[in-house]
Amino acid sequence: MKCLLLVDIQNGFCSGGNLAVPDGEAVVAVANRLMAEGGYDLVVASLDWHPADHGSFASQHPGRHPFEMGTLHGKPQMLWPDHCVQGTADAELHPALDQTRIDYLQRKGEDRTIDSYSAFRDNDHAALTGLSDYLANRGVDHLDVCGLATDYCVRDSVLDAIQLIPGISVRLVIDACRGIDPQGVEVALAAMAAAGAEIVTSAAVTAEARDGAATSERLSPR
């Protein structure tokens, strides 16, 4: 089964959001095209879904500022602006994203004591979100991943999918992603490739789906 995972394509990470990724909203049109033309059996979207007092927020650390390094749960933690707070517009999926094609929503980052970049587990790898079991139980063996941001939540989701779902094939759809730091993006891409993820474009994905559909049509009994 072929699945598309949309990572955190939320208002908070697009222009006007509390933690906007440069050019973040540009992924929306590409994601819509993938959902419509990529030949997926299943589409899943993850959502950052933080309580208002989440420990990754700089506002919860007196005297500290966003984008400084701090600590959380005894480990180094980038301190972020308050973002994607539960029940706020900042946490909603981008309004231009075709949500009618999304089959399942996975919320993450709900525990105020630990951050959760990955759609699959928290940052200290102690607690699973349940998404790996959901995909495995559905028989997903091919996973394409895209979204925001390449060097944080997308990277960790790709790496965790490879580690947590036996036998799965994972691809990163690179033009359907945007990152925060260009150098960090390069490091993230290298890490994903080294772990076994294939880096592809949306054009390659949709062309593959068209070719597969055409082959099926030729082989179908008349």
Side-chain angles (χ1 to χ4, degrees), residues 1-199:
M1 176 176 280
K2 184 178 178 183
C3 177
L4 176 64
L5 171 59
L6 308 173
V7 177
D8 300 0
I9 305 180
Q10 294 166 265
N11 291 330
F13 300 119
C14 297
S15 291
N18 291 343
L19 184 50
V21 176
D23 201 30
E25 62 276 5
V27 308
V28 174
V30 188
N32 285 343
R33 187 165 66 251
L34 285 168
M35 287 189 282
E37 303 175 19
Y40 295 102
D41 304 299
L42 182 70
V43 177
V44 173
S46 71
L47 290 167
D48 245 11
W49 197 251
H50 295 309
D53 61 348
H54 195 270
S56 70
F57 296 166
S59 63
Q60 300 303 305
H61 301 261
R64 306 303 299 272
H65 303 283
F67 307 110
E68 293 182 354
M69 287 301 298
T71 59
L72 184 63
H73 212 65
K75 295 187 176 183
Q77 170 71 44
M78 177 68 76
L79 300 180
W80 302 111
D82 293 19
H83 66 280
C84 296
V85 172
Q86 299 170 9
T88 67
D90 200 63
E92 293 176 1
L93 291 168
H94 192 282
L97 189 68
D98 185 359
Q99 299 177 40
T100 66
R101 295 183 181 272
I102 296 172
D103 301 296
Y104 182 78
L105 290 174
Q106 178 63 63
R107 293 173 173 172
K108 62 187 181 69
E110 297 181 81
D111 182 347
R112 68 169 302 279
T113 67
I114 184 70
D115 213 350
S116 183
Y117 296 153
S118 170
F120 294 95
R121 58 184 173 182
D122 63 24
N123 285 4
D124 68 1
H125 295 179
L128 300 175
T129 63
L131 182 58
S132 56
D133 285 343
Y134 175 80
L135 297 183
N137 290 337
R138 293 293 300 270
V140 172
D141 55 9
H142 185 118
L143 181 68
D144 287 352
V145 183
C146 66
L148 304 168
T150 315
D151 40 343
Y152 286 93
C153 297
V154 172
R155 174 201 62 203
D156 283 18
S157 295
V158 166
L159 296 177
D160 281 352
I162 293 169
Q163 289 187 17
L164 294 172
I165 307 175
I168 198 165
S169 172
V170 180
R171 302 189 300 187
L172 175 79
V173 187
I174 191 167
D175 56 317
C177 300
R178 293 294 186 277
I180 293 175
D181 172 61
Q183 184 176 358
V185 168
E186 292 305 313
V187 172
L189 292 175
M192 289 185 276
E198 183 181 359
I199 312 297

